[in-house]
Amino acid sequence: MTVVFLILAALTIAGAAAAMSLRSAIHCILALTLGLVGLAALFLQLGAQFVGFTQILVYVGAVAILAVFAIMMTHRASAPAEPILSASWLTGAIVAVAVFAVLAWAIHSTPALTPASLPQPEASVNQIGAALMHRFVLPLEIIGLLLTVALIGAVIVAMPEKQDTL
Amino acid sequence: MSPLNAYLLLSASLFSIGLTGALTRRNAILVLIGIELMLNAANLNFIAFWRYGPHPEALTGIMFAIFSISVAAAEAAVGLGIILAVHRHLKTTDLDQMNSMKG
């Protein structure tokens, strides 16, 4: 466990925790962006360059911007100061703490699967492209179809409805 | 603690933070963001197991993470579209006030 890992882990956890606890929704998205950049850096540190850069492109570049647009479109200028937590927040917090306790206990009680140090595996973009075109070509086609259907569906769902169809 | 355990513990914390947000926030967009955080925790697990597991040359963990990111992007687009449509009807994104399935 290195210093770099500790710094990146602290950055990611801090960003994620701030994203879930800040009052203003826009501040939440900005904190989430910080956490996602930390996560992308962790991917880079693990040797998965392509996934790290995909993470930055997709999450920081697309999902966070999309969420900011959605917040701006649904924002009310004269919003009263209402509580940010739902009425059943205590149950939710207890469930989340219980889930973390079970996960941490399971990780702690499992004997180490691997030796502490392994040679860094190779995952160049060249190899990933070759694997996508040979072994994983069917999942790639399916994911392309899924993305097309999902984007068309999202546009149709968000489109203003005609009054007579109501 | 081995490096794999450290990454798994970090991933478990991220998952729990996302779950807390998804279960306790009122704003529907932030609930969606919490779900995205949980998906990201799963991605971190895929990459960590690829790095420290046997046969990393098969690239299975990397492929799983890439496909998972694609599905998460589709989910975010559809989810935000649904939130916009609900906001047009109910004029709110407060989940405590969305108590009716009728449009």
Side-chain angles (χ1 to χ4, degrees), chain A residues 5 20 22 36 42 45-46 55 59 83-87 96 100 114 158-159, chain B residues 3 7 10 16 20-21 24-26 36 40 51-52 56 63 72 88-89 96:
Chain A
F5 169 75
M20 289 292 106
L22 288 180
L36 292 177
L42 278 171
Q45 201 216 355
L46 279 167
Q55 169 91 2
Y59 276 102
I84 58 170
L85 297 177
S86 72
F100 178 72
T114 51
M159 215 158 42
Chain B
Y7 279 105
L10 171 64
S16 305
T20 315
T24 61
R25 292 299 296 242
R26 286 173 90 103
E36 293 288 333
N40 269 302
R51 169 69 176 81
Y52 294 107
M63 290 303 157
R88 198 174 301 124
H89 278 290
D96 281 3

PDB file of all heavy atoms in Angstrom, chain A residues 5 20 22 36 42 45-46 55 59 83-87 96 100 114 158-159, chain B residues 3 7 10 16 20-21 24-26 36 40 51-52 56 63 72 88-89 96:
ATOM      1  N   PHE A   5      -1.586   5.596  -3.289  1.00  0.00           N
ATOM      2  CA  PHE A   5      -2.904   4.981  -3.114  1.00  0.00           C
ATOM      3  C   PHE A   5      -3.676   5.669  -2.001  1.00  0.00           C
ATOM      4  O   PHE A   5      -4.872   5.950  -2.144  1.00  0.00           O
ATOM      5  CB  PHE A   5      -2.753   3.495  -2.805  1.00  0.00           C
ATOM      6  CG  PHE A   5      -4.032   2.856  -2.366  1.00  0.00           C
ATOM      7  CD1 PHE A   5      -5.029   2.569  -3.285  1.00  0.00           C
ATOM      8  CD2 PHE A   5      -4.271   2.575  -1.025  1.00  0.00           C
ATOM      9  CE1 PHE A   5      -6.211   2.003  -2.882  1.00  0.00           C
ATOM     10  CE2 PHE A   5      -5.465   2.016  -0.620  1.00  0.00           C
ATOM     11  CZ  PHE A   5      -6.438   1.722  -1.553  1.00  0.00           C
ATOM     12  N   MET A  20     -22.589  13.401  -1.578  1.00  0.00           N
ATOM     13  CA  MET A  20     -23.818  12.888  -1.001  1.00  0.00           C
ATOM     14  C   MET A  20     -24.293  13.709   0.189  1.00  0.00           C
ATOM     15  O   MET A  20     -25.352  13.447   0.729  1.00  0.00           O
ATOM     16  CB  MET A  20     -23.614  11.427  -0.575  1.00  0.00           C
ATOM     17  CG  MET A  20     -23.493  10.467  -1.734  1.00  0.00           C
ATOM     18  SD  MET A  20     -25.005  10.282  -2.669  1.00  0.00           S
ATOM     19  CE  MET A  20     -24.655  11.173  -4.137  1.00  0.00           C
ATOM     20  N   LEU A  22     -23.570  17.501   0.608  1.00  0.00           N
ATOM     21  CA  LEU A  22     -23.677  18.956   0.486  1.00  0.00           C
ATOM     22  C   LEU A  22     -25.128  19.363   0.243  1.00  0.00           C
ATOM     23  O   LEU A  22     -25.947  18.569  -0.213  1.00  0.00           O
ATOM     24  CB  LEU A  22     -22.796  19.461  -0.658  1.00  0.00           C
ATOM     25  CG  LEU A  22     -21.286  19.416  -0.380  1.00  0.00           C
ATOM     26  CD1 LEU A  22     -20.521  19.923  -1.574  1.00  0.00           C
ATOM     27  CD2 LEU A  22     -20.954  20.231   0.839  1.00  0.00           C
ATOM     28  N   LEU A  36     -14.801  11.302  -8.977  1.00  0.00           N
ATOM     29  CA  LEU A  36     -14.649  10.464 -10.173  1.00  0.00           C
ATOM     30  C   LEU A  36     -13.257  10.618 -10.772  1.00  0.00           C
ATOM     31  O   LEU A  36     -12.688   9.647 -11.286  1.00  0.00           O
ATOM     32  CB  LEU A  36     -15.716  10.833 -11.202  1.00  0.00           C
ATOM     33  CG  LEU A  36     -17.141  10.471 -10.783  1.00  0.00           C
ATOM     34  CD1 LEU A  36     -18.126  10.948 -11.823  1.00  0.00           C
ATOM     35  CD2 LEU A  36     -17.280   8.989 -10.598  1.00  0.00           C
ATOM     36  N   LEU A  42      -7.039   6.231  -9.762  1.00  0.00           N
ATOM     37  CA  LEU A  42      -6.818   4.897  -9.182  1.00  0.00           C
ATOM     38  C   LEU A  42      -6.758   3.839 -10.282  1.00  0.00           C
ATOM     39  O   LEU A  42      -5.941   2.922 -10.229  1.00  0.00           O
ATOM     40  CB  LEU A  42      -7.936   4.563  -8.202  1.00  0.00           C
ATOM     41  CG  LEU A  42      -7.807   5.144  -6.804  1.00  0.00           C
ATOM     42  CD1 LEU A  42      -9.076   4.919  -6.027  1.00  0.00           C
ATOM     43  CD2 LEU A  42      -6.643   4.505  -6.076  1.00  0.00           C
ATOM     44  N   GLN A  45      -3.465   4.049 -11.801  1.00  0.00           N
ATOM     45  CA  GLN A  45      -2.445   3.482 -10.928  1.00  0.00           C
ATOM     46  C   GLN A  45      -2.472   1.965 -10.972  1.00  0.00           C
ATOM     47  O   GLN A  45      -1.442   1.307 -10.818  1.00  0.00           O
ATOM     48  CB  GLN A  45      -2.679   3.974  -9.505  1.00  0.00           C
ATOM     49  CG  GLN A  45      -1.450   3.869  -8.631  1.00  0.00           C
ATOM     50  CD  GLN A  45      -1.783   3.508  -7.216  1.00  0.00           C
ATOM     51  OE1 GLN A  45      -2.939   3.411  -6.845  1.00  0.00           O
ATOM     52  NE2 GLN A  45      -0.758   3.296  -6.426  1.00  0.00           N
ATOM     53  N   LEU A  46      -3.652   1.376 -11.190  1.00  0.00           N
ATOM     54  CA  LEU A  46      -3.756  -0.075 -11.288  1.00  0.00           C
ATOM     55  C   LEU A  46      -3.274  -0.592 -12.639  1.00  0.00           C
ATOM     56  O   LEU A  46      -3.256  -1.794 -12.851  1.00  0.00           O
ATOM     57  CB  LEU A  46      -5.207  -0.508 -11.059  1.00  0.00           C
ATOM     58  CG  LEU A  46      -5.644  -0.589  -9.605  1.00  0.00           C
ATOM     59  CD1 LEU A  46      -7.154  -0.712  -9.512  1.00  0.00           C
ATOM     60  CD2 LEU A  46      -4.996  -1.773  -8.939  1.00  0.00           C
ATOM     61  N   GLN A  55     -13.149   6.493 -18.158  1.00  0.00           N
ATOM     62  CA  GLN A  55     -13.863   6.995 -16.971  1.00  0.00           C
ATOM     63  C   GLN A  55     -13.942   8.518 -16.997  1.00  0.00           C
ATOM     64  O   GLN A  55     -15.004   9.096 -16.781  1.00  0.00           O
ATOM     65  CB  GLN A  55     -13.104   6.518 -15.734  1.00  0.00           C
ATOM     66  CG  GLN A  55     -13.536   7.137 -14.442  1.00  0.00           C
ATOM     67  CD  GLN A  55     -14.606   6.343 -13.760  1.00  0.00           C
ATOM     68  OE1 GLN A  55     -15.007   5.299 -14.244  1.00  0.00           O
ATOM     69  NE2 GLN A  55     -15.086   6.835 -12.647  1.00  0.00           N
ATOM     70  N   TYR A  59     -17.656   9.831 -17.501  1.00  0.00           N
ATOM     71  CA  TYR A  59     -18.285  10.336 -16.280  1.00  0.00           C
ATOM     72  C   TYR A  59     -18.092  11.841 -16.128  1.00  0.00           C
ATOM     73  O   TYR A  59     -19.046  12.580 -15.949  1.00  0.00           O
ATOM     74  CB  TYR A  59     -17.745   9.596 -15.064  1.00  0.00           C
ATOM     75  CG  TYR A  59     -18.483   8.305 -14.849  1.00  0.00           C
ATOM     76  CD1 TYR A  59     -17.930   7.098 -15.222  1.00  0.00           C
ATOM     77  CD2 TYR A  59     -19.752   8.316 -14.318  1.00  0.00           C
ATOM     78  CE1 TYR A  59     -18.619   5.927 -15.049  1.00  0.00           C
ATOM     79  CE2 TYR A  59     -20.454   7.160 -14.145  1.00  0.00           C
ATOM     80  CZ  TYR A  59     -19.876   5.960 -14.512  1.00  0.00           C
ATOM     81  OH  TYR A  59     -20.570   4.814 -14.357  1.00  0.00           O
ATOM     82  N   PRO A  83     -35.602  20.451   4.016  1.00  0.00           N
ATOM     83  CA  PRO A  83     -34.540  19.506   4.403  1.00  0.00           C
ATOM     84  C   PRO A  83     -34.042  18.718   3.186  1.00  0.00           C
ATOM     85  O   PRO A  83     -34.813  18.407   2.281  1.00  0.00           O
ATOM     86  CB  PRO A  83     -35.231  18.594   5.417  1.00  0.00           C
ATOM     87  CG  PRO A  83     -36.682  18.780   5.177  1.00  0.00           C
ATOM     88  CD  PRO A  83     -36.861  20.169   4.700  1.00  0.00           C
ATOM     89  N   ILE A  84     -32.736  18.420   3.176  1.00  0.00           N
ATOM     90  CA  ILE A  84     -32.187  17.691   2.029  1.00  0.00           C
ATOM     91  C   ILE A  84     -32.386  16.192   2.188  1.00  0.00           C
ATOM     92  O   ILE A  84     -32.259  15.454   1.221  1.00  0.00           O
ATOM     93  CB  ILE A  84     -30.686  17.996   1.845  1.00  0.00           C
ATOM     94  CG1 ILE A  84     -29.906  17.626   3.089  1.00  0.00           C
ATOM     95  CG2 ILE A  84     -30.469  19.442   1.470  1.00  0.00           C
ATOM     96  CD1 ILE A  84     -28.413  17.672   2.889  1.00  0.00           C
ATOM     97  N   LEU A  85     -32.695  15.734   3.379  1.00  0.00           N
ATOM     98  CA  LEU A  85     -32.852  14.301   3.606  1.00  0.00           C
ATOM     99  C   LEU A  85     -34.319  13.924   3.578  1.00  0.00           C
ATOM    100  O   LEU A  85     -35.182  14.720   3.969  1.00  0.00           O
ATOM    101  CB  LEU A  85     -32.241  13.902   4.952  1.00  0.00           C
ATOM    102  CG  LEU A  85     -30.738  14.131   5.069  1.00  0.00           C
ATOM    103  CD1 LEU A  85     -30.264  13.760   6.457  1.00  0.00           C
ATOM    104  CD2 LEU A  85     -30.007  13.315   4.034  1.00  0.00           C
ATOM    105  N   SER A  86     -34.624  12.728   3.116  1.00  0.00           N
ATOM    106  CA  SER A  86     -36.011  12.299   3.053  1.00  0.00           C
ATOM    107  C   SER A  86     -36.496  11.926   4.452  1.00  0.00           C
ATOM    108  O   SER A  86     -35.720  11.869   5.410  1.00  0.00           O
ATOM    109  CB  SER A  86     -36.143  11.105   2.114  1.00  0.00           C
ATOM    110  OG  SER A  86     -35.590   9.970   2.716  1.00  0.00           O
ATOM    111  N   ALA A  87     -37.806  11.668   4.530  1.00  0.00           N
ATOM    112  CA  ALA A  87     -38.395  11.418   5.847  1.00  0.00           C
ATOM    113  C   ALA A  87     -37.843  10.135   6.464  1.00  0.00           C
ATOM    114  O   ALA A  87     -37.718  10.029   7.676  1.00  0.00           O
ATOM    115  CB  ALA A  87     -39.914  11.333   5.711  1.00  0.00           C
ATOM    116  N   ALA A  96     -27.314   1.319   5.091  1.00  0.00           N
ATOM    117  CA  ALA A  96     -26.016   1.521   4.442  1.00  0.00           C
ATOM    118  C   ALA A  96     -24.877   1.133   5.376  1.00  0.00           C
ATOM    119  O   ALA A  96     -23.909   0.479   4.960  1.00  0.00           O
ATOM    120  CB  ALA A  96     -25.887   2.974   4.003  1.00  0.00           C
ATOM    121  N   PHE A 100     -22.089  -1.820   4.785  1.00  0.00           N
ATOM    122  CA  PHE A 100     -20.638  -1.621   4.868  1.00  0.00           C
ATOM    123  C   PHE A 100     -20.013  -2.556   5.891  1.00  0.00           C
ATOM    124  O   PHE A 100     -18.936  -3.118   5.658  1.00  0.00           O
ATOM    125  CB  PHE A 100     -20.308  -0.171   5.224  1.00  0.00           C
ATOM    126  CG  PHE A 100     -18.838   0.075   5.357  1.00  0.00           C
ATOM    127  CD1 PHE A 100     -18.035   0.088   4.234  1.00  0.00           C
ATOM    128  CD2 PHE A 100     -18.245   0.240   6.592  1.00  0.00           C
ATOM    129  CE1 PHE A 100     -16.673   0.286   4.337  1.00  0.00           C
ATOM    130  CE2 PHE A 100     -16.888   0.440   6.706  1.00  0.00           C
ATOM    131  CZ  PHE A 100     -16.101   0.463   5.580  1.00  0.00           C
ATOM    132  N   THR A 114      -3.779 -13.255  -3.068  1.00  0.00           N
ATOM    133  CA  THR A 114      -2.598 -13.152  -3.924  1.00  0.00           C
ATOM    134  C   THR A 114      -1.413 -12.687  -3.101  1.00  0.00           C
ATOM    135  O   THR A 114      -1.566 -12.080  -2.052  1.00  0.00           O
ATOM    136  CB  THR A 114      -2.848 -12.119  -5.034  1.00  0.00           C
ATOM    137  OG1 THR A 114      -3.306 -10.925  -4.416  1.00  0.00           O
ATOM    138  CG2 THR A 114      -3.856 -12.590  -6.031  1.00  0.00           C
ATOM    139  N   ALA A 158     -37.970  12.331 -22.632  1.00  0.00           N
ATOM    140  CA  ALA A 158     -37.812  13.711 -22.181  1.00  0.00           C
ATOM    141  C   ALA A 158     -38.491  14.713 -23.099  1.00  0.00           C
ATOM    142  O   ALA A 158     -38.577  15.882 -22.756  1.00  0.00           O
ATOM    143  CB  ALA A 158     -36.317  14.055 -22.070  1.00  0.00           C
ATOM    144  N   MET A 159     -38.988  14.259 -24.272  1.00  0.00           N
ATOM    145  CA  MET A 159     -39.590  15.185 -25.233  1.00  0.00           C
ATOM    146  C   MET A 159     -40.909  15.729 -24.680  1.00  0.00           C
ATOM    147  O   MET A 159     -41.642  15.000 -24.010  1.00  0.00           O
ATOM    148  CB  MET A 159     -39.854  14.437 -26.544  1.00  0.00           C
ATOM    149  CG  MET A 159     -39.665  15.264 -27.764  1.00  0.00           C
ATOM    150  SD  MET A 159     -39.348  14.243 -29.208  1.00  0.00           S
ATOM    151  CE  MET A 159     -40.486  12.893 -29.037  1.00  0.00           C
TER     152      MET A 159
ATOM    153  N   PRO B   3      -2.615  -5.336  -0.997  1.00  0.00           N
ATOM    154  CA  PRO B   3      -3.177  -4.253  -1.834  1.00  0.00           C
ATOM    155  C   PRO B   3      -4.592  -4.553  -2.298  1.00  0.00           C
ATOM    156  O   PRO B   3      -5.444  -3.661  -2.309  1.00  0.00           O
ATOM    157  CB  PRO B   3      -2.211  -4.194  -3.013  1.00  0.00           C
ATOM    158  CG  PRO B   3      -0.971  -4.834  -2.543  1.00  0.00           C
ATOM    159  CD  PRO B   3      -1.337  -5.814  -1.490  1.00  0.00           C
ATOM    160  N   TYR B   7      -7.948  -2.153  -1.867  1.00  0.00           N
ATOM    161  CA  TYR B   7      -8.844  -1.685  -2.933  1.00  0.00           C
ATOM    162  C   TYR B   7     -10.275  -2.147  -2.678  1.00  0.00           C
ATOM    163  O   TYR B   7     -11.234  -1.399  -2.905  1.00  0.00           O
ATOM    164  CB  TYR B   7      -8.361  -2.191  -4.289  1.00  0.00           C
ATOM    165  CG  TYR B   7      -7.246  -1.362  -4.862  1.00  0.00           C
ATOM    166  CD1 TYR B   7      -5.942  -1.820  -4.869  1.00  0.00           C
ATOM    167  CD2 TYR B   7      -7.500  -0.107  -5.396  1.00  0.00           C
ATOM    168  CE1 TYR B   7      -4.915  -1.056  -5.376  1.00  0.00           C
ATOM    169  CE2 TYR B   7      -6.482   0.661  -5.906  1.00  0.00           C
ATOM    170  CZ  TYR B   7      -5.194   0.191  -5.897  1.00  0.00           C
ATOM    171  OH  TYR B   7      -4.191   0.962  -6.391  1.00  0.00           O
ATOM    172  N   LEU B  10     -11.780   0.082  -0.037  1.00  0.00           N
ATOM    173  CA  LEU B  10     -12.118   1.390  -0.605  1.00  0.00           C
ATOM    174  C   LEU B  10     -13.396   1.296  -1.427  1.00  0.00           C
ATOM    175  O   LEU B  10     -14.281   2.152  -1.332  1.00  0.00           O
ATOM    176  CB  LEU B  10     -10.957   1.873  -1.479  1.00  0.00           C
ATOM    177  CG  LEU B  10     -11.224   3.121  -2.314  1.00  0.00           C
ATOM    178  CD1 LEU B  10     -11.479   4.307  -1.424  1.00  0.00           C
ATOM    179  CD2 LEU B  10     -10.048   3.409  -3.231  1.00  0.00           C
ATOM    180  N   SER B  16     -20.989   2.039  -0.002  1.00  0.00           N
ATOM    181  CA  SER B  16     -21.841   2.426   1.126  1.00  0.00           C
ATOM    182  C   SER B  16     -22.195   3.902   1.078  1.00  0.00           C
ATOM    183  O   SER B  16     -23.328   4.282   1.406  1.00  0.00           O
ATOM    184  CB  SER B  16     -21.137   2.114   2.442  1.00  0.00           C
ATOM    185  OG  SER B  16     -20.773   0.773   2.465  1.00  0.00           O
ATOM    186  N   THR B  20     -25.924   5.207   0.898  1.00  0.00           N
ATOM    187  CA  THR B  20     -26.465   6.197   1.832  1.00  0.00           C
ATOM    188  C   THR B  20     -27.153   7.323   1.081  1.00  0.00           C
ATOM    189  O   THR B  20     -28.277   7.717   1.417  1.00  0.00           O
ATOM    190  CB  THR B  20     -25.329   6.778   2.687  1.00  0.00           C
ATOM    191  OG1 THR B  20     -24.506   5.720   3.141  1.00  0.00           O
ATOM    192  CG2 THR B  20     -25.874   7.550   3.860  1.00  0.00           C
ATOM    193  N   GLY B  21     -26.459   7.851   0.033  1.00  0.00           N
ATOM    194  CA  GLY B  21     -27.057   8.930  -0.733  1.00  0.00           C
ATOM    195  C   GLY B  21     -28.337   8.497  -1.414  1.00  0.00           C
ATOM    196  O   GLY B  21     -29.341   9.212  -1.393  1.00  0.00           O
ATOM    197  N   THR B  24     -31.147   8.188   1.297  1.00  0.00           N
ATOM    198  CA  THR B  24     -31.531   9.257   2.219  1.00  0.00           C
ATOM    199  C   THR B  24     -31.813  10.593   1.541  1.00  0.00           C
ATOM    200  O   THR B  24     -32.474  11.422   2.152  1.00  0.00           O
ATOM    201  CB  THR B  24     -30.443   9.487   3.280  1.00  0.00           C
ATOM    202  OG1 THR B  24     -29.246   9.874   2.622  1.00  0.00           O
ATOM    203  CG2 THR B  24     -30.183   8.248   4.081  1.00  0.00           C
ATOM    204  N   ARG B  25     -31.309  10.847   0.323  1.00  0.00           N
ATOM    205  CA  ARG B  25     -31.511  12.183  -0.255  1.00  0.00           C
ATOM    206  C   ARG B  25     -32.930  12.340  -0.776  1.00  0.00           C
ATOM    207  O   ARG B  25     -33.571  11.358  -1.167  1.00  0.00           O
ATOM    208  CB  ARG B  25     -30.528  12.432  -1.403  1.00  0.00           C
ATOM    209  CG  ARG B  25     -29.088  12.546  -0.985  1.00  0.00           C
ATOM    210  CD  ARG B  25     -28.821  13.700  -0.038  1.00  0.00           C
ATOM    211  NE  ARG B  25     -29.063  14.991  -0.616  1.00  0.00           N
ATOM    212  CZ  ARG B  25     -28.132  15.935  -0.773  1.00  0.00           C
ATOM    213  NH1 ARG B  25     -26.892  15.703  -0.414  1.00  0.00           N
ATOM    214  NH2 ARG B  25     -28.437  17.101  -1.265  1.00  0.00           N
ATOM    215  N   ARG B  26     -33.412  13.574  -0.811  1.00  0.00           N
ATOM    216  CA  ARG B  26     -34.747  13.858  -1.335  1.00  0.00           C
ATOM    217  C   ARG B  26     -34.728  14.118  -2.825  1.00  0.00           C
ATOM    218  O   ARG B  26     -35.709  13.847  -3.519  1.00  0.00           O
ATOM    219  CB  ARG B  26     -35.304  15.106  -0.659  1.00  0.00           C
ATOM    220  CG  ARG B  26     -35.756  14.929   0.742  1.00  0.00           C
ATOM    221  CD  ARG B  26     -36.113  16.280   1.301  1.00  0.00           C
ATOM    222  NE  ARG B  26     -37.499  16.583   1.066  1.00  0.00           N
ATOM    223  CZ  ARG B  26     -38.427  16.495   2.015  1.00  0.00           C
ATOM    224  NH1 ARG B  26     -38.098  16.120   3.212  1.00  0.00           N
ATOM    225  NH2 ARG B  26     -39.661  16.789   1.758  1.00  0.00           N
ATOM    226  N   GLU B  36     -24.936   5.922  -9.428  1.00  0.00           N
ATOM    227  CA  GLU B  36     -23.715   5.962 -10.253  1.00  0.00           C
ATOM    228  C   GLU B  36     -22.480   5.659  -9.404  1.00  0.00           C
ATOM    229  O   GLU B  36     -21.567   4.952  -9.854  1.00  0.00           O
ATOM    230  CB  GLU B  36     -23.565   7.347 -10.892  1.00  0.00           C
ATOM    231  CG  GLU B  36     -24.621   7.687 -11.910  1.00  0.00           C
ATOM    232  CD  GLU B  36     -24.444   6.903 -13.182  1.00  0.00           C
ATOM    233  OE1 GLU B  36     -23.315   6.514 -13.486  1.00  0.00           O
ATOM    234  OE2 GLU B  36     -25.451   6.662 -13.856  1.00  0.00           O
ATOM    235  N   ASN B  40     -19.718   2.714  -9.868  1.00  0.00           N
ATOM    236  CA  ASN B  40     -18.287   2.979  -9.936  1.00  0.00           C
ATOM    237  C   ASN B  40     -17.515   2.126  -8.950  1.00  0.00           C
ATOM    238  O   ASN B  40     -16.394   1.699  -9.234  1.00  0.00           O
ATOM    239  CB  ASN B  40     -18.026   4.452  -9.673  1.00  0.00           C
ATOM    240  CG  ASN B  40     -18.028   5.237 -10.947  1.00  0.00           C
ATOM    241  OD1 ASN B  40     -17.261   4.964 -11.828  1.00  0.00           O
ATOM    242  ND2 ASN B  40     -18.919   6.188 -11.045  1.00  0.00           N
ATOM    243  N   ARG B  51      -6.202  -6.761 -11.821  1.00  0.00           N
ATOM    244  CA  ARG B  51      -4.791  -6.451 -11.556  1.00  0.00           C
ATOM    245  C   ARG B  51      -4.152  -7.514 -10.669  1.00  0.00           C
ATOM    246  O   ARG B  51      -3.014  -7.906 -10.884  1.00  0.00           O
ATOM    247  CB  ARG B  51      -4.719  -5.065 -10.909  1.00  0.00           C
ATOM    248  CG  ARG B  51      -3.385  -4.667 -10.325  1.00  0.00           C
ATOM    249  CD  ARG B  51      -2.352  -4.444 -11.405  1.00  0.00           C
ATOM    250  NE  ARG B  51      -1.097  -3.977 -10.819  1.00  0.00           N
ATOM    251  CZ  ARG B  51      -0.196  -4.776 -10.258  1.00  0.00           C
ATOM    252  NH1 ARG B  51      -0.432  -6.055 -10.176  1.00  0.00           N
ATOM    253  NH2 ARG B  51       0.919  -4.281  -9.778  1.00  0.00           N
ATOM    254  N   TYR B  52      -4.876  -7.979  -9.644  1.00  0.00           N
ATOM    255  CA  TYR B  52      -4.265  -8.870  -8.664  1.00  0.00           C
ATOM    256  C   TYR B  52      -4.745 -10.311  -8.810  1.00  0.00           C
ATOM    257  O   TYR B  52      -4.361 -11.152  -8.008  1.00  0.00           O
ATOM    258  CB  TYR B  52      -4.552  -8.364  -7.249  1.00  0.00           C
ATOM    259  CG  TYR B  52      -3.876  -7.050  -6.963  1.00  0.00           C
ATOM    260  CD1 TYR B  52      -4.595  -5.870  -6.894  1.00  0.00           C
ATOM    261  CD2 TYR B  52      -2.495  -6.981  -6.801  1.00  0.00           C
ATOM    262  CE1 TYR B  52      -3.962  -4.657  -6.658  1.00  0.00           C
ATOM    263  CE2 TYR B  52      -1.860  -5.778  -6.575  1.00  0.00           C
ATOM    264  CZ  TYR B  52      -2.603  -4.627  -6.502  1.00  0.00           C
ATOM    265  OH  TYR B  52      -1.972  -3.433  -6.285  1.00  0.00           O
ATOM    266  N   PRO B  56      -4.274 -12.177 -15.887  1.00  0.00           N
ATOM    267  CA  PRO B  56      -4.633 -10.813 -16.319  1.00  0.00           C
ATOM    268  C   PRO B  56      -4.522 -10.639 -17.829  1.00  0.00           C
ATOM    269  O   PRO B  56      -5.119  -9.710 -18.368  1.00  0.00           O
ATOM    270  CB  PRO B  56      -3.620  -9.935 -15.585  1.00  0.00           C
ATOM    271  CG  PRO B  56      -2.474 -10.828 -15.309  1.00  0.00           C
ATOM    272  CD  PRO B  56      -3.027 -12.196 -15.116  1.00  0.00           C
ATOM    273  N   MET B  63     -12.532  -5.602 -19.809  1.00  0.00           N
ATOM    274  CA  MET B  63     -13.705  -5.611 -20.696  1.00  0.00           C
ATOM    275  C   MET B  63     -14.979  -5.417 -19.889  1.00  0.00           C
ATOM    276  O   MET B  63     -15.865  -4.649 -20.274  1.00  0.00           O
ATOM    277  CB  MET B  63     -13.782  -6.943 -21.443  1.00  0.00           C
ATOM    278  CG  MET B  63     -12.710  -7.110 -22.460  1.00  0.00           C
ATOM    279  SD  MET B  63     -12.775  -5.758 -23.618  1.00  0.00           S
ATOM    280  CE  MET B  63     -11.122  -5.794 -24.198  1.00  0.00           C
ATOM    281  N   ALA B  72     -23.743   2.101 -17.580  1.00  0.00           N
ATOM    282  CA  ALA B  72     -24.010   3.184 -16.622  1.00  0.00           C
ATOM    283  C   ALA B  72     -24.326   4.482 -17.352  1.00  0.00           C
ATOM    284  O   ALA B  72     -25.191   5.248 -16.910  1.00  0.00           O
ATOM    285  CB  ALA B  72     -22.803   3.363 -15.702  1.00  0.00           C
ATOM    286  N   ARG B  88     -41.831  17.697 -15.404  1.00  0.00           N
ATOM    287  CA  ARG B  88     -42.779  18.461 -16.216  1.00  0.00           C
ATOM    288  C   ARG B  88     -44.205  18.262 -15.701  1.00  0.00           C
ATOM    289  O   ARG B  88     -45.010  19.192 -15.728  1.00  0.00           O
ATOM    290  CB  ARG B  88     -42.664  18.012 -17.676  1.00  0.00           C
ATOM    291  CG  ARG B  88     -43.264  19.002 -18.641  1.00  0.00           C
ATOM    292  CD  ARG B  88     -43.016  18.597 -20.075  1.00  0.00           C
ATOM    293  NE  ARG B  88     -41.605  18.478 -20.372  1.00  0.00           N
ATOM    294  CZ  ARG B  88     -41.035  17.378 -20.851  1.00  0.00           C
ATOM    295  NH1 ARG B  88     -41.751  16.303 -21.045  1.00  0.00           N
ATOM    296  NH2 ARG B  88     -39.747  17.352 -21.116  1.00  0.00           N
ATOM    297  N   HIS B  89     -44.514  17.037 -15.211  1.00  0.00           N
ATOM    298  CA  HIS B  89     -45.859  16.773 -14.715  1.00  0.00           C
ATOM    299  C   HIS B  89     -46.058  17.321 -13.308  1.00  0.00           C
ATOM    300  O   HIS B  89     -47.050  17.968 -13.015  1.00  0.00           O
ATOM    301  CB  HIS B  89     -46.122  15.268 -14.700  1.00  0.00           C
ATOM    302  CG  HIS B  89     -46.516  14.729 -16.019  1.00  0.00           C
ATOM    303  ND1 HIS B  89     -47.707  15.004 -16.602  1.00  0.00           N
ATOM    304  CD2 HIS B  89     -45.853  13.933 -16.873  1.00  0.00           C
ATOM    305  CE1 HIS B  89     -47.773  14.407 -17.779  1.00  0.00           C
ATOM    306  NE2 HIS B  89     -46.647  13.745 -17.962  1.00  0.00           N
ATOM    307  N   ASP B  96     -40.128  12.677  -1.904  1.00  0.00           N
ATOM    308  CA  ASP B  96     -41.171  12.514  -0.903  1.00  0.00           C
ATOM    309  C   ASP B  96     -42.514  13.034  -1.402  1.00  0.00           C
ATOM    310  O   ASP B  96     -43.553  12.680  -0.865  1.00  0.00           O
ATOM    311  CB  ASP B  96     -40.783  13.247   0.388  1.00  0.00           C
ATOM    312  CG  ASP B  96     -39.793  12.428   1.190  1.00  0.00           C
ATOM    313  OD1 ASP B  96     -39.409  11.354   0.695  1.00  0.00           O
ATOM    314  OD2 ASP B  96     -39.391  12.864   2.277  1.00  0.00           O
TER     315      ASP B  96
END
